[in-house]
Amino acid sequence: MDKYTRSRSKKIKQTASSKEPDVEVIEMVEDGRARDGKSRRSGTEKRLQEEVTNTETNAHGKNKKVKKSKTKLIKSTEKLQISDVWSQPQVSNVGSPKTQELGVSSPKSSDSSTSSHRSQGLNVESLLSKVESPESEEETYQISEEDVSNSQTDYDTADSRTENTFVEFQSERLVDVEGGRLLILESGQEVSLSGFCTMSVLCGSAEVFGYHCDPSKQPVELFSAVSNSLLKIKCLSVETNSDCVRSVYSENRLEQDVADCLPCSDVAVIKLGRLDAPHIDYVTTLNTFKQLFCGIKDGPLGRFSVESNQSKRLPQLHLSNDHYFVLDKWKEQLSKDPASILITCGGKGQGKSTLTQFLLNSTLNVLDKVCYLDCDPGQTEFTPPGSLSLHTITNPALGPPFSHQKEPAVWCFNGNVSPNGNPHLYLNCIRQCFHGYTQMKPRPPLVVNTMGWISGLGLLLLIDTLRIVQPDLVIQIDSKHADGNLPMLTPTNVAQSDSWSSQCKEQQKNIPQKDHSVLIINSVVDTKSGNYSRARHLRDMALLSYLTKGLPEGLMAAKPCMVSWSTIAIHVCHATVPSSQILEAINACVVALCCLDDEHQRYREGEDSPWLLKKTPVCDCVGYGFVRGIDKEKKCLYIVSPVPLSKLKSVNLLMRGNVNLTEDLFLKAFPGVVPYVDITATTKGSGALRQRKRMPRKT
């Protein structure tokens, strides 16, 4: 085995029923300890098999009892609206692209005003971390600022593949220059970054989150926030030519006495420059996210700081030996087939997103582009929450999801952060995105990220996902608790296991499965360390960052587009809304801007009323928008969106899902009492029942 890790290989014996060749399964074990993967998983497989069995339906179409846990009931549809917030639209002086088919108007707003009823927001340093399940009540842990700042957990482990030549960071190695700062690192030295900036390597080479930077590459953007582990910059190679280093100092106009105090050989010189990101600045103006970047103030040189790698003030990004082992296996697979497919599986909070982001960045070191299929609508990587998407990645993703929102190649709106309400829609969205990948010529490699719901219905949907994408390499991430781990996802088990489609009789069991390898690694995430934010806050930041990108005046002050509601269809995905209240249901809400084909059936109650749909369609999404107001006299909607006007003209469907803006945005924009936002109702009784489409019906 490799010198930096221990692994165990075993063969799955060929059975007469499956008739498939042997499949190699590589399971990672901790250094110095061997473990029996089979015995460890026997209890897990038995438990999950019982849950799968409990969801099967009998021959008469009657559903057996499904194991359920306590859930939170959603509030009634009356609370979907904020009435009379923008009742008198007025023309704004803020400039906006001229339109021909769509009129332009702007309601009156007060984006700079503050509210006397502002709720006490949480600093990001003390955000609640939660273990979330679509079918269970939230369990939260309160992490105080003192616990975060005084954490004694060691998040920093040297990569054993390189020699431990770490040199403690010194403040005099960070020199202010015009437009930024020069960072001088020695071989193997690492530093952590807080804030956001651009990074360009002037001599030598460096690595950030798996991506290698050298003088031949373009500058990259770094975003290091306390909502996630802080990024680390590591020196990979140094410049031995002293003349080259001196020329770099000279080009950046360093004074001679300062240059004489700096090393002129065996160093890497990195320039950290100022990065202007108005949409990120807008997010940090809200009360909840003021401490997102450790309270670093914006200055002439930028909004960032550099700390020693030995600092334990905040959690730092930790890449274990298992990450590099998976990377080696992935590169080995790519050498065999450049169009290989890799999928990551595991429970919530076990590091799937970190691993996929690391693999994407590392793949760009050897290839020009790589595709990414996001199957987790609750924690999306490159789009706002509530959707599934396919991306073609050409630039590294060096930061949290809210820092690199981008337009996907294929985009489907799921309408919810969990597929538990409509599993059919979830699977159809995956099929649509994967179909877009199969149409690419030539096909780049594909990395697939799955959701963390791995029991009951979540396991059934995962089996369906594996059958759809037909991967070459399956990565399973195990937690410290064996009861929360997946059974081994070998081709035989995937082919013979039940899935949602097979239970609904849409697909038969024992479907031949493409041969794939399975790698099982241990999670390095410490769920009690408080180094990650609540999932709801991460979704809020991603949504705000997307909506305000390209809108420097802010979401509330931006000039909206006006569209007649008689020319579009309106649909609410996650709840049943009477047609008479459909306009109120989308007022002051986030909607998906979609393009509906003529083959989908639609109806309306009058010539001046909007079109309606009977069921949620799977159609192309071009972006998200915010319904700024509704004018019932002119029969039009005012929508604010970062989507270009050329694409807005093709939108003929607005879909409302369970994706909402943070309350802090309304409290900041509107002084006084804000209905349904800052006043808690004291009434007794049950809320509205949640609409479910997950139970198979008689045909």
Side-chain angles (χ1 to χ4, degrees), residues 101-103 561-570 583 604 607-611 631 634-639 651-652 654:
E101 298 180 5
L102 297 177
C561 292
M562 183 178 68
V563 58
S564 174
W565 70 46
S566 62
T567 61
I568 60 174
I570 301 176
L583 293 175
R604 61 179 179 179
E607 295 182 357
D608 295 333
S609 62
W611 293 91
D631 192 333
K634 296 182 179 179
K635 296 181 174 56
C636 63
L637 307 174
Y638 296 96
I639 300 176
V651 172
N652 58 3
L654 303 182

Side-chain angles (χ1 to χ4, degrees), residues 326-580:
V326 172
L327 176 60
D328 289 344
K329 291 297 180 181
W330 176 232
K331 290 181 178 179
E332 181 181 339
Q333 178 63 38
L334 290 178
S335 64
K336 301 176 183 177
D337 181 10
S340 297
I341 300 176
L342 178 145
I343 187 170
T344 59
C345 310
K348 287 182 176 293
Q350 299 305 318
K352 297 186 302 299
S353 298
T354 300
L355 177 59
T356 54
Q357 195 171 346
F358 170 72
L359 292 175
L360 289 175
N361 295 336
S362 301
T363 305
L364 292 177
N365 295 328
V366 294
L367 297 176
D368 294 333
K369 60 182 178 180
V370 56
C371 285
Y372 177 75
L373 177 57
D374 198 341
C375 300
D376 187 356
Q379 294 299 324
T380 52
E381 186 66 38
F382 297 102
T383 58
S387 61
L388 290 87
S389 55
L390 173 70
H391 298 263
T392 301
I393 307 300
T394 56
N395 296 316
L398 304 175
F402 68 85
S403 66
H404 45 246
Q405 298 288 298
K406 59 183 63 177
E407 182 180 358
V410 182
W411 199 352
C412 295
F413 185 65
N414 182 64
N416 209 329
V417 297
S418 169
N420 64 331
N422 195 340
H424 291 287
L425 177 64
Y426 174 77
L427 292 177
N428 289 334
C429 289
I430 293 179
R431 292 187 181 98
Q432 174 110 344
C433 292
F434 186 72
H435 176 72
Y437 170 73
T438 58
Q439 299 302 309
M440 293 184 178
K441 305 234 183 250
R443 287 192 304 169
L446 176 66
V447 177
V448 184
N449 188 29
T450 59
M451 58 182 180
W453 187 15
I454 58 173
S455 61
L457 176 61
L459 179 59
L460 298 179
L461 295 176
L462 177 60
I463 297 298
D464 272 321
T465 304
L466 289 168
R467 292 176 179 175
I468 293 173
V469 301
Q470 295 285 317
D472 299 287
L473 187 59
V474 176
I475 310 298
Q476 291 185 224
I477 303 180
D478 276 0
S479 67
K480 297 179 181 179
H481 306 286
D483 292 340
N485 294 332
L486 283 165
M488 198 170 294
L489 299 175
T490 61
T492 302
N493 292 340
V494 172
Q496 297 179 352
S497 298
D498 279 337
S499 67
W500 173 257
S501 298
S502 63
Q503 289 199 356
C504 296
K505 298 182 180 180
E506 295 179 0
Q507 195 179 66
Q508 300 296 326
K509 285 186 181 181
N510 299 321
I511 297 178
Q513 183 71 14
K514 177 182 175 181
D515 294 339
H516 62 251
S517 300
V518 179
L519 272 69
I520 304 174
I521 65 175
N522 293 325
S523 173
V524 297
V525 176
D526 185 2
T527 56
K528 296 183 179 181
S529 63
N531 62 323
Y532 58 90
S533 304
R534 294 184 64 178
R536 176 173 61 86
H537 290 144
L538 296 176
R539 289 193 287 266
D540 290 342
M541 288 187 287
L543 181 60
L544 278 176
S545 175
Y546 169 81
L547 289 176
T548 57
K549 194 170 185 179
L551 303 175
E553 61 274 3
L555 185 61
M556 295 301 182
K559 198 171 185 179
C561 292
M562 183 178 68
V563 58
S564 174
W565 70 46
S566 62
T567 61
I568 60 174
I570 301 176
H571 182 69
V572 178
C573 303
H574 66 294
T576 301
V577 180
S579 58
S580 60

